[in-house]
Structures are given as C-alpha cells and as structure tokens.
Amino acid sequence: MNTSTRPLPPLRGPGAGLLALDPVHTALLHGLDGLLLGLAEQVAAPECLGPPLLPAAGLARLDYFRNFPHLGVPAGRFDADAFDALADGGAPVDAPLRATGHLLPSATCYGLLLSLEGQDVGEEGLRLSATGRCFRNETHYEGLRRLHGFHMREVLYLGTKDGCVEHLDRGGRFVTDLAERLGLDLTRAAADDPFYDRQGSRARLMALDPVKHEYSASDGTAIASVNRHRNFFGDRLGINAGTHGSAFSACVAFGVERWVHAMVLTHGSAENALAVLDSVRPRADTSALPIRSAQ
C-alpha cells in the first residue's frame, strides 16, 4: 500500500541530542549534501567512506585527547559478567562496560587521515571527499544546531603548503557562492580549536596565524569551516608528498544538519527551504546524491 500521502505522526527525539528527521527535513538534508558535493566535483576529490570507529591509540598520536577529551564518545561493550543480569531484564544503564579501545568519530577527516598512515600521496598531492556520521559529547544539545550525532561532509587535501592555500581558497569561495545562491547570510571569523596540544608551540603560533575559519548563520551557528593543519598530520602519521617531505593538509568541513537549520531559520519553514533548494539545484553544477554515511 502506498502511504506516501498519509500524514505522519510527529517524530520525536528519543533522547537528548537525538533527532529523527521527517520526510521534508530529510529531503532537505540529502539535497543540501548533494550541493555540498559540488566542491568535491570542482577539485576532483573522489568520494570515500571512512571507518565507523577510530582506534583510541591512533587518536592519541594526534593529540586528540589533549585537546578534545570532553568530546570523545567511547565504544564499549557489556562485560561478560553482566550478560545473565541483562538477559533477566536488568537495567542496561547499570551494567558494567568494558573498553574496546575505539571511539565513534567526532570528525570525518580523522578516519581518512589514519587510513593514509605511512603512505606517499605524491608530488601532486591527494584530494578525498566523504560524508560520515560523527558523534560528540556536549554540555548541552539544541535542535539541529547541536546534536549528539550528525553528518559531516569534508573535502580533504594532502600535499604541499601552497596546495593547501589553493584548496582552502577554492573552498572558501565555494561556501560563500553557495550560501548566496541559497539566500544565506554568512559571516566568516577565526576559530580557536587547534588539532594539536593547546600548550605547545603550534598552538602559540596559531594565535598569530589562525588555522581555522568558520562560516556562521545569522544566529551564530557555525555551518562550515576551512581548516589548515600545516604538516601536523603528515608528521605524526608519516604521510609524505613525494620529494616535498611530510605532507601538509587542509580540509573544508560542512555540518549538514546545521545547513538544514540555517535554511529553515532563513526561509521560515522546512517546506519553504526545500522550495528554495529546488529552485537552486538545477543551476548548480552537481546533483543531489544521497548521503553515504558511516554507520
């Protein structure tokens, strides 16, 4: 039976920071990700799918826990001693967990970078694009602005220092051009969350030469960012760029649910936002492909 025209009951979030999207919001999310994929097409970055879990040991080598210990969502499993109690109807929240040595991703690029450890990306460098499910512990959650789990599209470059500059210049222009077509008024500002030890020399250098800029909607929600990692990941992971030595890297990141939020905020409703998206999509040099999320 075709029930597509029947009204749906409200889809309520099952917990803090957890939302289910209705068909209109879902269409908006997929359509926006299809437009965001346009940057990957412009820079010839093939689509990849990152791993669903990340090794804690690998993240530690990237100073993740020095900088973001509050964000990490560990993957645990029930201790064998709890199996009988759970099978008898015991409360899972009280059951002891055993560490697995893995975390859920908090950013899409970590899985791609860790997967390139010890590789040489060549003289011309390498570009990759991926959308992944990401998870973060937050002090509070607020609608689509701040979720426990969300989709992040990233377009990653590894290669030379000059190549990073060119990649982020193109990424910044793409963000502002797409926002203009969608009727979004974004502001750009330097951000202050380095990928490396906040007390180290790299962090002090960042105060003089910011490595991250965010693009925010009218209510202050950051929906995109351009991130320059210098050669930090290349050094830590042994990723080279031919005769240039340790690879420099940079990425352009998009919080897809936050783009949905910005569109609804700007245009008044998800239905209006979807109509604007549909009017823009035929003129965009891309198509709305479904999100390929790592789950």
Side-chain angles (χ1 to χ4, degrees):
M1 179 185 297
N2 183 357
T3 61
S4 60
T5 60
R6 294 173 58 183
L8 289 176
L11 299 178
R12 298 186 176 91
L18 305 174
L19 292 180
L21 300 186
D22 62 34
V24 177
H25 283 83
T26 299
L28 189 55
L29 181 128
H30 285 306
L32 286 166
D33 189 60
L35 291 182
L36 298 175
L37 185 61
L39 175 59
E41 294 175 343
Q42 286 182 15
V43 301
E47 187 79 352
C48 296
L49 187 63
L53 295 172
L54 302 177
L59 291 173
R61 296 204 309 277
L62 304 179
D63 287 347
Y64 178 85
F65 301 104
R66 290 177 178 269
N67 294 293
F68 312 116
H70 55 295
L71 294 182
V73 181
R77 61 184 177 189
F78 291 117
D79 191 276
D81 294 338
F83 291 167
D84 289 342
L86 290 170
D88 288 337
V93 294
D94 298 326
L97 293 176
R98 179 176 297 178
T100 63
H102 293 85
L103 282 81
L104 299 178
S106 63
T108 300
C109 65
Y110 283 120
L112 300 180
L113 289 162
L114 287 169
S115 299
L116 290 169
E117 183 173 8
Q119 301 295 316
D120 192 321
V121 299
E123 300 289 327
E124 300 300 319
L126 174 70
R127 288 182 171 88
L128 299 172
S129 179
T131 295
R133 282 271 196 180
C134 297
F135 303 86
R136 296 178 180 178
N137 286 314
E138 300 280 7
T139 57
H140 69 283
Y141 300 101
E142 182 183 353
L144 292 173
R145 298 184 65 189
R146 192 173 294 273
L147 290 162
H148 201 11
F150 55 93
H151 292 88
M152 180 186 294
R153 172 165 290 281
E154 295 200 41
V155 183
L156 174 68
Y157 168 82
L158 297 103
T160 66
K161 183 177 181 179
D162 289 342
C164 288
V165 172
E166 187 266 345
H167 183 73
L168 296 186
D169 283 346
R170 294 184 69 172
R173 290 196 301 271
F174 176 86
V175 172
T176 55
D177 290 347
L178 179 59
E180 181 177 354
R181 295 205 307 273
L182 292 171
L184 302 179
D185 183 17
L186 303 184
T187 57
R188 172 177 163 129
D192 61 355
D193 55 344
F195 284 93
Y196 31 75
D197 185 355
R198 295 177 185 273
Q199 305 304 316
S201 60
R202 293 174 187 263
R204 291 192 292 271
L205 177 61
M206 182 183 167
L208 302 176
D209 181 20
V211 298
K212 176 175 183 176
H213 288 83
E214 292 179 334
Y215 295 82
S216 298
S218 58
D219 66 346
T221 302
I223 67 173
S225 64
V226 291
N227 307 270
R228 181 163 49 95
H229 314 142
R230 300 194 174 94
N231 61 347
F232 175 75
F233 291 122
D235 280 346
R236 292 293 176 92
L237 296 174
I239 304 172
N240 291 321
T243 60
H244 300 288
S246 294
F248 284 70
S249 62
C251 70
V252 184
F254 307 92
V256 188
E257 281 86 351
R258 288 186 169 195
W259 279 78
V260 174
H261 164 79
M263 288 289 287
V264 174
L265 176 70
T266 299
H267 300 295
S269 70
E271 290 77 10
N272 290 345
L274 188 58
V276 171
L277 174 66
D278 287 339
S279 71
V280 168
R281 193 155 44 195
R283 298 196 299 271
D285 186 22
T286 185
S287 60
L289 298 179
I291 282 182
R292 300 172 176 85
S293 60
Q295 299 188 53

